[in-house]
Amino acid sequence: MPKTSETPAPKGLPGRKAQAARNDGLILAAARTVFLADASAPIAAVATAAGVGISALYRRYPSKEALLRKLCYDGLQRYNIEADAALADSDGWHGLVGFLERVVDADVHSLTVHLAGTFTPDDTILPAVTHSAEVTAELVRRAHRSGRLRPEVNAQDLGLLLEACAAISLPDPERTAELRRRTLAMLIAGIAVPRTAGELPGPPPEPGEFAWRWQPRTARGRGTEA
């Protein structure tokens, strides 16, 4: 659990502003962890996980909905940053694959899968949403022009692919990331023309590896702490 004293204040800011920026980082990191585990968790659980007072949290985010909105908007911004970076790649297929890998590694779509419908979007998100649709469509067009993306695959298919990867979640974060990368590689092989398929990364899931899902929550906690 993160503690305020363990996070250095951002450089170049005066005392109070540095403390506020540090608290904001702690709050957002804690909120992501808390709400991905349980979207119905109270906002007080975020303050506890962040190691900050509830008043400090409310000064920055006046409601749980405001905090959820911030988390999802930040996720969309990260998606757009990675998509824009992919457009700089002269190889349309390589740009698309690299984009998908970076978005999955950043775990952007877990927020979409878990938090969609838990808050009311506002108009401030519209430019980012529009840009997201435009840049994704362009990445798909470039990949089609490369001749290595199946012609029937469209931009909306990428959303399904990313959500499928985000749905994989184990108690071990490193193993989760490994299996998401493996799943992504299989999905990419499915949208590629056959000659572009490569070797799958990481070992396959082991028998019983997902059995933890059926354990009581208290048992899960003991297992991850051992």
Side-chain angles (χ1 to χ4, degrees), residues 110-130:
S110 285
L111 294 171
T112 302
V113 172
H114 287 82
L115 303 184
T118 61
F119 65 93
T120 303
D122 59 28
D123 291 344
T124 63
I125 195 64
L126 292 180
V129 170
T130 299

Side-chain angles (χ1 to χ4, degrees), residues 17 27 34 36 50 62-63 87 115 117 122 135 150 199 222:
K17 288 186 177 180
I27 289 167
V34 168
L36 285 182
S63 67
L87 291 179
L115 303 184
D122 59 28
V135 73
R150 292 182 182 274
E199 184 178 349
R222 289 196 297 271

Side-chain angles (χ1 to χ4, degrees), residues 92-108:
W93 173 253
H94 184 267
L96 177 65
V97 171
F99 160 71
L100 292 172
E101 290 174 346
R102 292 192 300 273
V103 170
V104 168
D105 287 346
D107 197 16
V108 169

Side-chain angles (χ1 to χ4, degrees), residues 32 36 78-79 82 97-110 161-162 165-166 173-185 188 201:
R32 181 184 175 90
L36 285 182
R78 176 64 182 273
Y79 178 97
E82 298 299 351
V97 171
F99 160 71
L100 292 172
E101 290 174 346
R102 292 192 300 273
V103 170
V104 168
D105 287 346
D107 197 16
V108 169
H109 276 65
S110 285
L161 182 154
L162 291 168
C165 292
E174 291 186 3
R175 184 57 174 151
T176 294
E178 188 176 50
L179 286 178
R180 284 177 177 174
R181 265 302 188 98
R182 180 180 175 86
T183 300
L184 176 62
I188 288 173

